[in-house]
């Protein structure tokens, strides 16, 4: 005889099974977020890059506005009205049932120079967009590396916290046995309290950086799971490289200043060329009506359809205000040129400072690493003596504190070197190439 469960019990089991599947999917480990993917998400989600792109579009639109002055503009209108006596004008034109007017510039030296200035502003906006892109890449890379530092520190501090608790318990037992004093117990408690303080500091810093990365990438905070091995190896400095020359040749900041200076020079030239002759195209068609008495005053020569086409010539003879405006534009052009020179000198100086800072931080990192290795060896030696019952817990605690401090100093020195090296990569124009490439294995 085959046993079958009741329908309500089968439904309950199906509901429990579905709930279990959903729960397992909810608590499944988050997918790791490599650095390259984090950067690409930030570039597509960043508000700063969106603003820079909008500035580029605005510059392009301004250029089209100036260029379209050479394309005829068509205006359809009407000057309806009743005339008593001779047909007078309405708003500066003859009364008509309908008019079509076309106007455009044919030759305008000043307008052409303004057009060249707009082109330079487009290039400056594009360079600003590129600079903002590098800023986003640097922000993500530095935040990613710093979060990786704090997460590694949290892992280390969890182990230290467990060891500090064990040490405190061991010293407590020795105090009860009369071997150690209350002062020794307070020292052990102080070690544990310091570890808890550092753990809280690391957890707080990690939470803030994880939130920052979530804001940059548009991902939920819970899905920010780092892959530290995805950080590419930072290229070493080479003595034969002239980083100052490379930075001044590729710096978007310098190029933006140069394009701005070029635009100001073009505007100054346009102000001077406003005194040159210019030619404009003009055409007009009008449909006239007999209600305006045209047939009375023009007799048999009146016709309802009328048109004109021609070239308007303007030759400025004297304009003192325009001359003063041109002199002011010359001053602005000179100011922009000197600012571009100052920007070039500033970038060159900052690049040299960064290069020397990277050399110093690299040496400081090597020193901190060696000091940490020596402190770790001292801790292992103290643990060996404890196991052999020839050492004391005080020696072990002191060695542990020293090893922890040296580890934290080495971590900080390594991160400061990474941050300075990334700043130098951005200055020389190599940041994006470094960040958006598949990393080689990082030797430990």
């Amino acid at each position: 005889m085959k046993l079958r469960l009741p329908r309500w019990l089968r439904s309950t089991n199906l509901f429990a099974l579905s709930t279990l599947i959903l729960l397992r999917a909810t608590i499944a480990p988050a997918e790791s977020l490599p650095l390259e993917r984090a950067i690409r998400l930030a570039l597509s989600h960043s508000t700063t890059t969106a603003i820079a792109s909008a500035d580029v579009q605005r510059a392009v639109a301004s250029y089209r506005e100036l260029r379209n002055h050479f394309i005829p503009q068509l205006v359809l209108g009407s000057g309806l009205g009743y005339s008593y006596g001779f047909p007078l004008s309405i708003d500066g034109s003859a009364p008509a049932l309908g008019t079509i007017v076309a106007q455009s510039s044919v030759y305008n030296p000043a307008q052409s120079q303004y057009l060249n200035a707009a082109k330079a502003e487009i290039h400056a906006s594009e360079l600003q967009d590129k600079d903002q892109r590098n800023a986003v890449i640097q922000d993500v890379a530095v935040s990613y590396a710093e979060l990786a530092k704090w997460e590694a520190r949290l892992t280390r501090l969890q182990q230290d916290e467990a060891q500090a608790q064990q040490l405190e318990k061991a010293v407590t037992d020795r105090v009860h046995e009369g071997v150690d004093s209350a002062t020794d117990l307070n020292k052990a408690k102080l070690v544990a309290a310091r570890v808890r303080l550092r753990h809280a500091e690391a957890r707080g810093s990690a939470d803030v950086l994880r939130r920052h990365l979530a804001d940059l990438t548009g991902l939920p905070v819970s899905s920010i799971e780092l892959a530290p091995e995805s950080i590419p190896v930072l290229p070493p400095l080479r003595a034969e490289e002239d980083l100052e020359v490379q930075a001044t040749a590729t710096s978007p900041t310098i190029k933006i200043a140069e394009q701005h200076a070029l635009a100001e020079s073009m505007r100054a030239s346009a102000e001077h060329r406003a005194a040159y002759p210019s030619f404009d195209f003009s055409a007009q068609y009008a449909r006239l009506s007999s209600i305006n008495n045209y047939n009375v005053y023009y007799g048999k020569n009146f016709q309802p359809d009328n048109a004109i086409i021609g070239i308007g010539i303007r030759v400025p003879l004297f304009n003192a205000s325009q001359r003063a405006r041109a002199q002011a534009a010359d001053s602005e052009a000179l100011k922009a040129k000197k600012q571009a020179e100052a920007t070039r000198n500033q970038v060159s100086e900052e690049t040299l400072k960064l290069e020397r800072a990277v050399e110093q931080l690299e040496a400081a990192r090597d020193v901190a690493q060696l000091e940490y290795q020596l402190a770790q060896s001292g801790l292992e030696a103290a643990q060996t003596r404890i196991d052999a019952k020839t050492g004391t817990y005080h020696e072990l605690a002191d060695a542990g504190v020293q090893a922890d401090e040296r580890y934290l100093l080495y971590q900080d020195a390594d991160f400061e070197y990474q941050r300075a090296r990334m700043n130098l990569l951005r200055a020389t124009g190599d940041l994006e190439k470094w960040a958006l490439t598949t990393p080689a294995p990082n030797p430990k």
Side-chain angles (χ1 to χ4, degrees), residues 373-443:
Q373 291 175 354
L374 290 175
Q376 189 67 24
S377 299
L379 177 61
E380 294 173 357
Q383 184 64 49
T384 301
R385 290 193 295 271
I386 287 293
D387 296 339
K389 297 183 180 180
T390 59
T392 63
Y393 284 102
H394 310 296
E395 295 176 351
L396 180 63
D398 293 339
V401 169
Q402 187 175 7
D404 291 340
E405 291 178 351
R406 296 302 179 185
Y407 173 75
L408 299 182
L409 291 175
Y410 166 64
Q411 263 200 327
D412 292 337
D414 183 51
F415 171 69
E416 291 301 326
Y417 165 75
Q418 292 182 46
R419 176 159 55 186
R421 191 67 181 93
M422 291 179 194
N423 290 338
L424 187 57
L425 286 173
R426 180 183 175 185
T428 56
D430 296 325
L431 180 63
E432 184 172 355
K433 180 181 177 182
W434 166 80
L436 298 181
T437 54
T438 303
N442 191 1

Side-chain angles (χ1 to χ4, degrees), residues 257 261 331-345:
S331 300
E332 289 294 332
L334 179 60
K335 175 183 176 181
K337 180 181 178 181
K338 295 304 179 181
Q339 286 177 340
E341 294 176 0
T343 301
R344 175 178 290 273
N345 295 334

